[in-house]
Amino acid sequence: MITLVRRVTAACLLGAALTACAAAPRQAARPARPAPSTTTAPPTLAPGPGGLTPVFTNGSRGRGRTVALTFDADMTADQGARAAAGEHFDNPGLISALRALKVPATVFMTGRWAEEYPDQARSIGRDPLFEVANHSYSHYAFTGDCYGLPTVSADRMRADVERAYAAFRKAGVPDARPYFRFPGGCYDRRALRELTPAGVTAVQWDVVSGDAFATDADAVSRQVLEGVRPGSVVVLHCTRSAAPTTERVVRAVVPELRARGFRFVKVSELIGS
């Protein structure tokens, strides 16, 4: 499932409702994030008003020309049969392009994607060029009326996030970040409240690439280049079947943005600055 955008600038909308396996039972005593590693803890934002989960949209506009490319690796539980039949929800060519271009990036991964592509999840998670963050396990919406997505009940929201982290650990991702992207970008006060005990920072974006279901790479590239400002977070996708132009877009926009003086960073650097 491609992450969709609650903005009029989005190029595409979700075409069909999704289904997924039920999340594991709620476990109030266990934090959602993986066990701390021996490395320095990644930066997070302080809780928002009322102690709610904080939301990060973009970095500072005045601390250098930095930009974070983020990629949603989307897959839901009901798509396993489609993957077995040959549909590609991964995009190894895109990851290879990022490596060749030496572009740091943050990959927001669903737990189901990590289960389907454990070798790729582990390779991404162990590459210092990248960081893996949480995009839920099931890709159920955390609000109602979110582009036709089925919804996860409030009492299962945290469990769904925890299940994704468990899938990352099982795949061999050593240190998934405490960052969470809401499916469809949809959230409300209740969702922020339910995820407060997880200790995550919710990460949105300020630049919609429009790569979801797009077939015109040039149009997507123009949309990215027109939208990027210092501190921007760009939302793209790591799913060949539903975002087939993304590798071409990356190969086009990276040299152009570098020519404009931009430096590519991970989300963690933007949050930390």
Side-chain angles (χ1 to χ4, degrees), residues 215-264:
T215 57
D216 186 343
D218 291 340
V220 176
S221 298
R222 286 194 300 271
Q223 184 155 312
V224 172
L225 293 172
E226 290 170 2
V228 167
R229 299 169 60 195
S232 281
V233 176
V234 184
V235 60
L236 296 126
H237 297 86
C238 184
T239 312
R240 271 183 286 173
S241 63
T245 67
T246 309
E247 180 186 344
R248 283 177 285 160
V249 170
V250 165
R251 291 187 182 276
V253 303
V254 165
E256 177 61 28
L257 287 173
R258 281 178 169 156
R260 297 180 185 183
F262 280 93
R263 180 172 64 91
F264 294 96

Side-chain angles (χ1 to χ4, degrees), residues 136-211:
S136 82
Y137 176 83
S138 65
H139 209 281
Y140 275 31
F142 282 55
T143 67
D145 189 26
C146 183
Y147 304 102
L149 288 169
T151 58
V152 59
S153 62
D155 64 342
R156 291 182 177 270
M157 288 179 181
R158 183 183 173 191
D160 193 73
V161 174
E162 291 176 345
R163 189 177 181 186
Y165 279 124
F168 303 156
R169 290 191 294 269
K170 186 175 180 179
V173 176
D175 193 22
R177 306 285 89 175
Y179 309 140
F180 177 72
R181 176 163 284 168
F182 285 99
C186 304
Y187 69 91
D188 56 17
R189 185 177 179 85
R190 181 186 67 170
L192 295 177
R193 183 175 62 250
E194 291 298 325
L195 292 188
T196 296
V200 296
T201 293
V203 176
Q204 297 289 95
W205 54 82
D206 67 317
V207 178
V208 178
S209 71
D211 67 338

Side-chain angles (χ1 to χ4, degrees), residues 30-214:
R30 181 165 60 88
R33 70 180 67 180
S37 68
T38 57
T39 60
T40 302
T44 55
L45 297 183
L52 299 179
T53 297
V55 180
F56 180 79
T57 300
N58 59 267
S60 170
R61 303 299 190 190
R63 296 184 180 176
R65 296 173 72 82
T66 55
V67 57
L69 300 185
T70 68
F71 298 87
D72 292 355
D74 292 335
M75 187 174 179
T76 60
D78 69 325
Q79 292 173 331
R82 290 163 57 182
E87 186 169 349
H88 298 289
F89 297 94
D90 61 340
N91 195 338
L94 168 64
I95 299 302
S96 294
L98 292 168
R99 285 171 169 150
L101 293 165
K102 297 180 172 57
V103 178
T106 303
V107 180
F108 285 88
M109 194 178 292
T110 65
R112 184 63 187 88
W113 195 98
E115 289 179 346
E116 187 69 26
Y117 304 107
D119 292 343
Q120 292 186 55
R122 180 168 57 253
S123 176
I124 293 168
R126 294 183 178 182
D127 188 332
L129 194 62
F130 306 125
E131 60 187 5
V132 171
N134 196 312
H135 193 34
S136 82
Y137 176 83
S138 65
H139 209 281
Y140 275 31
F142 282 55
T143 67
D145 189 26
C146 183
Y147 304 102
L149 288 169
T151 58
V152 59
S153 62
D155 64 342
R156 291 182 177 270
M157 288 179 181
R158 183 183 173 191
D160 193 73
V161 174
E162 291 176 345
R163 189 177 181 186
Y165 279 124
F168 303 156
R169 290 191 294 269
K170 186 175 180 179
V173 176
D175 193 22
R177 306 285 89 175
Y179 309 140
F180 177 72
R181 176 163 284 168
F182 285 99
C186 304
Y187 69 91
D188 56 17
R189 185 177 179 85
R190 181 186 67 170
L192 295 177
R193 183 175 62 250
E194 291 298 325
L195 292 188
T196 296
V200 296
T201 293
V203 176
Q204 297 289 95
W205 54 82
D206 67 317
V207 178
V208 178
S209 71
D211 67 338
F213 306 107

